[in-house]
Amino acid sequence: QVQLVESGGGLVQPGGSLRLSCAASGSIFSINTMGWYRQAPGKERELVAAITRGGSTKYQDSVKGRFTISRDNAKNTVYLQMNSLKPEDTAVYYCHAEVRESDSYIITDYWGQGTQVTVSS
């Protein structure tokens, strides 16, 4: 089994910054794409940013230029640096990873438990 543990959420004023972290642990052989999704009340979960094992990234248009995704492959950890935060960024943020486990050739999707980000004055 694999676990994703997120940290770094909280309450921040508009224009402020937060850094989210997500560490994967367990019987991991390798991790392909890692990413961050978010879900606001009454809305569907949406992709915020994703990064491949090789470092290629993609972002939702609304966060381009404000958010930066990065990863440390040696630590099986992905980060999301969020700057210039806006009230519309308020949501529960979920970490996602495509994992090949040590005893399998199958790629399995894993999710973190979610961390609340609230942007408000």
Side-chain angles (χ1 to χ4, degrees):
Q1 270 291 356
V2 173
Q3 298 80 38
L4 302 182
V5 178
E6 300 141 338
S7 61
L11 172 64
V12 64
Q13 292 187 342
S17 299
L18 283 174
R19 188 187 194 217
L20 306 182
S21 299
C22 172
S25 62
S27 56
I28 298 169
F29 179 82
S30 64
I31 302 178
N32 294 346
T33 298
M34 302 185 80
W36 290 94
Y37 288 71
R38 67 186 180 187
Q39 187 166 20
K43 295 188 176 181
E44 294 187 353
R45 189 173 297 189
E46 61 181 7
L47 174 68
V48 176
I51 183 168
T52 67
R53 184 172 181 81
S56 297
T57 59
K58 64 176 178 181
Y59 296 91
Q60 181 189 114
D61 285 347
S62 68
V63 307
K64 286 180 180 177
R66 300 188 298 122
F67 292 9
T68 302
I69 190 169
S70 60
R71 66 189 281 176
D72 184 332
N73 290 331
K75 296 181 179 180
N76 290 327
T77 299
V78 63
Y79 307 95
L80 185 68
Q81 178 66 45
M82 304 185 293
N83 299 329
S84 302
L85 282 160
K86 304 176 181 180
E88 51 263 43
D89 295 317
T90 296
V92 178
Y93 284 68
Y94 296 91
C95 174
H96 170 261
E98 299 174 348
V99 179
R100 178 184 167 187
E101 297 182 52
S102 300
D103 58 353
S104 174
Y105 290 99
I106 299 172
I107 305 298
T108 303
D109 289 326
Y110 282 94
W111 294 88
Q113 79 283 0
T115 185
Q116 178 70 45
V117 171
T118 302
V119 184
S120 174
S121 54

